[in-house]
């Protein structure tokens, strides 16, 4: 499969090398009123790795991603991204820094086609102001076509050419998940956050999705944080795993280490999960 | 028979993104344009101008404006009438020579001293365009709450704008140049030597003037909605949280929708006052009924469609004309009966469209197209 090379519009790399810390979560605590969703959690994500976040239902995994992309602001703790401590930023500013994500419950733009949905992933890189847009012919059109070419490569990569012009609302669940991945990839993120990308999929769809995730990681060097319940998928895909339970970190290490850890085994046996 | 999408392959992304990718639609469109610009002007008379064409052009601009805000960006507004009033009054001030007073402090006698700037009366083109710009600024101000409030509550906030603006233009004599009646009356303006406003304006001149505005700005609207800005608007409409997480700035995006929308509505208001009616006073001309009328246009024509805005405007402008000519003219029914019938029909249509096809007549046409494309094979 032919990769799409990073385009020059992507967020700058900042000279971090593979294996160095891309994102560090330090002593983060998050509460909603009385509910403590995350308690004093620290871990890091290295550039180029696939980092899984696992844990039973309600463990605080999604909340963790929401903290990382700025949707929730933790009461305590710090986020360091590419060596810089992050101040309180809005989610759209964080998107511009090069963090993209998919959602546990698909969050596509239902009124738009597959193509338009993935094109929205390029919005952060489009520059032409309203006057050029109004005129269309000229710079705005050239910009549109340049990004369209990039998006078409993503469409080819994800093998969704046949649904390019279809409104996403009409697509089956598995394809919607794929389009959502496409939208995140279109942003050429440094760090890609995937919230249960395979939930509700059949075996074949899961295998496709696993292949896409591995290809994204190996071909474009995208760092990935992945929430997943299916342990076999986690074992296959991830380099390192963080385990959360009731908002606390109870394990951190390679998939093998984590699986042998008694606290992790207890947490999983004690609580039902899907 | 002629309608075929299959068999027309696009060889470039440019061709694929064209407004009328299907040759048939392309020809229909340009035929209509040529007819409108080169044929109708020779036949137009006072009745067709004032009852059909100018109202259509004015409301089409207004409907495009509201559709950008509501259909594309998902922000409901009931302030259309008020924003049309802003455009109309701005146009009036500019065509009569705008007077600006800058307070310079108190003089010896204790009265406020002003520095006065008097602009000369502007050309009608500038009056309409700047009327739009001023409305855009006002629209952005009233759009600020949209960052915090949504849906029904935003609709109520825009309703407040509607009533406030009408009240303002009634209460502050500055806006109607202290005229005794409280009305504003369009002065005579010309373009290339032809009167566009005032009693001497010929139907062909006003027709071409308004048509040109609509043609230009419908094309611009189409360009805006298919590119970066349009996608940001639709992203906010479809799921604002996801939009923000992919990098769309909600405040800027909503405000830009309010600005562009109000710009169109302001121009519509300016044309409504200056070219169509020639005079206006706020309570009747720019009442809440105008807001609803334009809203009905985009619901019937199609939310989130530029063509739908045109269809909706044509529909709502032509309907009363048809009813009048058929029921009152041909059948001799009383006028009020015909009007009630018309209201009931519009009401029923709104309900049907809201329930069955929120994307209006434009979507019905799209579905028909999909069927036609396959014809005569069902699948
Ligand atoms: N916006 C919110 N308001 C209040 N409580 C919340 C909110 N979001 C999450 N929570 C609570 O925080 C805890 C962690 O939720 P979170 O969604 O992060 O879990 P999760 O690990 O993603 O679970 P799942 O596997 O079911 O997706 C839960 O108890 C949840 O009820
Ligand atoms: Mg979750």
């Amino acid at each position: 499969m032919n990769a799409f090379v990073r385009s020059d519009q992507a967020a700058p790399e900042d000279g971090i090398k593979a294996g160095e810390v891309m994102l560090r979560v330090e002593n983060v605590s998050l509460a909603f009123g009385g509910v403590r969703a995350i308690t004093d959690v620290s871990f890091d994500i290295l550039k180029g790795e696939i980092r899984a976040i696992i844990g039973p239902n309600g463990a605080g995994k999604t909340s963790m991603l929401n903290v990382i992309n700025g949707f929730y602001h933790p009461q305590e703790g710090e986020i360091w991204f590419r060596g810089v401590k992050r101040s309180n930023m809005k989610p759209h500013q964080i998107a511009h820094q090069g963090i993209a994500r998919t959602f546990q419950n698909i969050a596509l733009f239902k009124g738009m086609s597959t193509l338009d949905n993935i094109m929205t992933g390029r919005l952060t890189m489009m520059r032409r102001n309203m006057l050029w847009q109004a005129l269309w012919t000229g710079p705005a059109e050239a910009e549109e076509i340049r990004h369209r070419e990039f998006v078409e490569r993503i469409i080819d990569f994800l093998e969704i050419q046949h649904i390019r012009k279809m409104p996403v609302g009409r697509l089956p669940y598995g394809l919607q998940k794929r389009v959502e991945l496409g939208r995140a990839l279109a942003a050429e993120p440094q760090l890609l956050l995937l919230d249960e990308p395979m939930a509700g999929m059949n075996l074949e769809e899961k295998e496709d999705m696993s292949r896409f995730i591995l290809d994204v990681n190996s071909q474009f060097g995208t760092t990935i944080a992945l929430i997943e319940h299916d342990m076999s998928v986690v074992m296959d895909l991830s380099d390192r795993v963080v385990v959360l339970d009731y908002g606390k970190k109870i394990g951190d290490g390679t998939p093998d280490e984590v699986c042998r850890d008694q606290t992790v085994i207890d947490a999983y046996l004690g609580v039902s999960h899907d | 028979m002629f309608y075929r999408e299959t068999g027309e392959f696009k060889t470039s992304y440019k061709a694929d993104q064209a407004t009328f990718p299907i040759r048939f639609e392309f020809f229909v469109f340009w035929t209509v344009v040529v007819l409108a610009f080169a044929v109708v002007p020779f036949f137009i008379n006072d009745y067709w101008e004032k009852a059909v064409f100018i109202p259509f052009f004015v409301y089409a601009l207004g409907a495009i404006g509201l559709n950008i805000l509501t259909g594309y960006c998902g922000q409901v507004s009931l302030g259309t009438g008020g924003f049309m009033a802003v455009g109309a009054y701005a146009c009036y001030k500019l065509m009569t020579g705008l007077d600006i007073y800058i307070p310079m402090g108190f003089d010896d006698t204790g009265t406020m001293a002003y520095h006065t700037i008097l602009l000369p009366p502007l050309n009608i083109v500038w009056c309409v365009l700047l009327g739009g710009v001023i409305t855009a600024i006002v629209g952005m101000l009233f759009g600020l709450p949209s960052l915090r409030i949504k849906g029904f509550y935003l609709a109520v906030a825009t309703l407040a704008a509607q009533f406030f603006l009408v009240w303002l233009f009634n209460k502050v004599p500055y806006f109607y140049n202290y005229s005794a009646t409280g009305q504003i009356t369009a002065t005579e303006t010309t373009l290339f030597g032809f009167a566009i406003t005032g009693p001497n304006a010929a139907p062909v001149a006003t027709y071409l003037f308004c048509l040109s505005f609509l043609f230009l700005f419908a094309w611009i609207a189409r360009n805006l909605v298919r590119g970066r800005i349009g996608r940001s608007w639709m992203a906010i409409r479809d799921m604002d949280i996801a939009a923000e997480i992919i990098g769309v700035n909600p405040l800027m995006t909503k405000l830009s929708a309010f600005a562009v929308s109000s710009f169109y509505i302001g121009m519509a208001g300016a044309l409504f006052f200056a070219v169509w009616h020639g005079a206006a006073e706020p309570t009747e001309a720019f009442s809440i009924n105008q807001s609803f009328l334009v809203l009905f246009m985009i619901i019937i024509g199609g939310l989130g469609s530029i063509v739908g805005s045109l269809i909706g405007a044509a529909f709502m402008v032509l309907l009363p004309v048809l009813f009048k000519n058929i029921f009152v003219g041909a059948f001799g029914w009383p006028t009020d009966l015909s009007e009630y019938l018309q209201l009931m029909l519009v009401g029923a249509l709104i309900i049907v469209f809201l329930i069955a096809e929120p994307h209006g007549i434009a979507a019905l046409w799209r579905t028909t197209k999909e069927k036609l494309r396959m014809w005569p094979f069902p699948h």
Side-chain angles (χ1 to χ4, degrees):
Chain A
M1 186 173 312
N2 216 331
F4 34 94
V5 266
R6 289 186 75 80
S7 71
D8 49 359
Q9 286 112 17
E13 295 257 2
D14 265 14
I16 301 176
K17 291 192 205 64
E20 292 179 355
V21 175
M22 163 157 286
L23 181 113
R24 199 161 78 233
V25 175
E26 256 180 32
N27 306 102
V28 161
S29 296
L30 175 76
F32 301 99
V35 183
R36 307 208 62 168
I38 302 174
T39 312
D40 197 27
V41 170
S42 306
F43 65 95
D44 57 12
I45 301 175
L46 305 181
K47 184 175 166 66
E49 77 171 337
I50 298 183
R51 184 72 141 134
I53 303 174
I54 65 168
N57 290 123
K61 306 181 295 293
T62 299
S63 302
M64 196 67 236
L65 290 199
N66 283 335
V67 166
I68 293 175
N69 75 357
F71 193 62
Y72 294 152
H73 296 293
Q75 281 83 6
E76 280 163 52
E78 295 170 355
I79 306 284
W80 290 68
F81 184 55
R82 292 194 305 218
V84 183
K85 186 186 157 190
R86 199 164 75 192
S87 51
N88 262 3
M89 278 198 276
K90 296 255 165 59
H92 65 88
Q93 295 169 314
I94 287 168
H96 280 264
Q97 284 202 328
I99 299 182
R101 78 175 279 186
T102 65
F103 295 82
Q104 187 169 354
N105 313 309
I106 299 169
L108 284 171
F109 305 124
K110 289 272 159 28
M112 299 159 80
S113 66
T114 298
L115 178 66
D116 277 327
N117 264 280
I118 301 180
M119 283 295 282
T120 61
R122 305 290 293 173
L123 284 174
T124 51
M125 294 166 216
M126 296 177 100
R127 298 275 175 276
R128 293 298 162 204
N129 65 28
M130 201 180 281
L131 289 179
W132 285 120
Q133 300 260 313
L135 195 63
W136 190 256
T137 307
E141 188 177 31
E143 183 181 57
E144 173 87 8
I145 289 173
R146 207 170 63 232
H147 289 290
R148 171 80 189 269
E149 280 162 2
F150 189 89
V151 163
E152 287 291 340
R153 291 208 287 276
I154 290 178
I155 290 178
D156 288 344
F157 171 74
L158 294 174
E159 297 154 22
I160 46 177
Q161 299 90 338
H162 56 296
I163 54 164
R164 196 189 271 120
K165 291 286 173 79
M166 248 195 245
V168 291
R170 282 202 228 148
L171 299 176
Y173 185 80
L175 280 179
Q176 292 198 11
K177 283 257 175 196
R178 219 186 271 192
V179 175
E180 210 190 6
L181 176 63
R183 183 179 68 187
L185 288 180
E188 298 179 62
Q190 304 272 308
L191 174 60
L192 178 60
L193 313 172
L194 303 174
D195 197 345
E196 304 197 19
M198 288 164 237
M201 284 187 168
N202 62 34
L203 190 63
E204 195 189 335
E205 289 173 325
K206 275 190 186 182
E207 279 170 357
D208 283 339
M209 189 52 99
S210 303
R211 181 162 54 85
F212 294 138
I213 293 173
L214 280 174
D215 282 348
V216 167
N217 178 250
S218 62
Q219 295 187 8
F220 325 134
T222 309
T223 312
I224 296 173
L226 168 78
I227 297 178
E228 185 49 55
H229 277 301
D230 186 333
M231 275 312 286
S232 66
V233 170
V234 172
M235 297 292 284
D236 284 349
L237 293 186
S238 60
D239 297 306
R240 291 192 303 153
V241 185
V242 184
V243 192
L244 299 179
D245 188 24
Y246 290 114
K248 295 199 183 73
K249 185 169 100 168
I250 57 164
D252 190 345
T254 64
D256 283 331
E257 287 166 8
V258 163
C259 277
R260 275 186 266 112
D261 190 308
Q262 196 54 44
T263 350
V264 176
I265 295 169
D266 289 347
Y268 263 88
L269 290 178
V271 189
S272 70
H273 59 91
D274 51 32
Chain B
M1 270 297 270
F2 302 105
Y3 196 86
R4 277 290 185 271
E5 235 171 43
T6 38
E8 291 195 20
F9 292 103
K10 301 297 172 297
T11 48
S12 71
Y13 297 136
K14 187 182 161 83
D16 192 42
Q17 285 159 349
T19 306
F20 298 105
I22 302 160
R23 218 172 295 149
F24 176 72
E25 276 182 340
F26 181 83
F27 283 126
V28 169
F29 172 75
W30 282 106
T31 312
V32 171
V33 170
V34 169
L35 280 176
F37 274 101
V39 179
V40 177
F42 291 103
F43 300 100
I44 191 157
N45 59 25
D46 217 42
Y47 175 77
W48 280 92
E49 179 225 7
K50 282 282 188 293
V52 176
F53 284 113
I54 303 292
F56 167 66
F57 298 150
V58 166
Y59 281 120
L61 270 178
I64 291 174
L66 186 62
N67 220 334
I68 283 174
L69 185 65
T70 305
Y72 283 95
C73 197
Q75 312 297 304
V76 186
S77 166
L78 292 175
T80 312
F83 292 131
M84 282 176 75
V86 176
Y89 278 79
C91 175
Y92 173 68
K93 292 298 285 187
L94 292 166
M95 78 195 313
T96 54
L98 182 66
D99 43 342
I100 303 167
Y101 303 94
I102 303 165
M104 303 296 284
F106 296 97
D107 62 14
D108 309 335
T109 58
T111 48
M112 183 70 91
Y114 292 98
H115 179 70
T116 313
I117 302 174
L118 280 178
L119 291 183
L122 295 183
N123 182 285
I124 181 67
V125 175
W126 285 116
C127 293
V128 176
L129 287 177
L130 290 177
V133 171
I134 292 169
T135 315
I137 295 168
V138 175
M140 276 198 283
L141 285 179
F142 284 103
L144 280 174
S146 69
L147 191 66
R148 294 257 168 248
I149 54 178
K150 291 176 189 166
F152 174 73
Y153 298 96
L154 181 64
V156 173
T158 57
L159 197 61
Q162 163 74 37
F163 287 114
F164 169 75
L165 289 168
V166 168
W167 173 85
L168 184 74
F169 294 124
N170 262 319
K171 277 288 172 258
V172 182
Y174 168 83
F175 291 116
Y176 50 85
N177 282 357
Y178 306 91
S179 82
T181 55
Q183 271 207 346
I184 52 174
T185 310
T187 55
E188 176 157 319
T189 57
T190 59
L191 186 64
F192 308 125
F194 296 100
I196 302 295
T197 61
N200 298 321
V204 61
T206 59
Y207 168 88
L208 283 174
F209 184 77
C210 294
L211 173 65
S212 308
F213 263 91
L214 176 61
F215 183 74
L216 176 67
F217 284 100
W219 175 73
I220 286 178
R222 162 71 193 144
N223 288 342
L224 287 178
V225 298
R226 66 169 146 173
R228 171 176 70 82
I229 291 173
R231 288 201 190 94
S232 313
W233 288 337
M234 290 187 274
I236 289 285
R237 170 196 70 191
D238 285 349
M239 189 164 282
D240 52 356
I241 291 171
E244 186 168 7
I245 277 166
I246 62 165
V248 175
N249 180 337
L251 179 64
M252 294 311 290
T253 307
K254 285 179 185 173
L255 284 189
S256 72
F258 267 96
V260 175
S261 162
S262 307
F263 175 72
Y264 277 77
I265 292 169
M267 287 195 302
L271 294 174
F272 176 96
F273 148 71
V275 182
W276 179 6
H277 290 285
E281 50 78 53
T283 321
E284 276 294 309
F286 303 111
S287 71
I288 181 84
N289 289 342
Q290 292 285 3
S291 305
F292 280 116
L293 181 61
V294 181
L295 187 63
F296 293 166
M297 286 173 185
I298 65 171
I299 291 173
I300 290 178
L303 290 167
S305 159
I306 300 295
V307 179
S309 317
L310 303 184
I311 297 172
F315 185 86
M316 293 297 282
V317 165
L318 286 178
L319 198 65
V321 177
L322 279 183
F323 267 65
K324 215 176 193 161
N325 283 321
I326 294 172
F327 292 117
V328 183
F331 297 175
W333 291 8
T335 318
D336 51 352
L337 181 61
S338 142
E339 273 169 11
Y340 287 133
L341 270 178
Q342 187 190 318
L343 276 178
M344 282 163 60
L345 177 66
V346 170
L349 278 176
I350 298 281
I351 294 170
V352 168
F353 273 114
L354 279 182
I355 294 171
E357 183 49 271
H359 299 292
I361 298 176
L364 290 180
W365 166 237
R366 221 173 296 136
T367 324
T368 319
K369 251 172 30 177
E370 280 177 17
K371 298 233 167 81
L372 274 175
R373 197 186 315 167
M374 302 298 177
W375 191 86
F377 310 104
H379 291 293

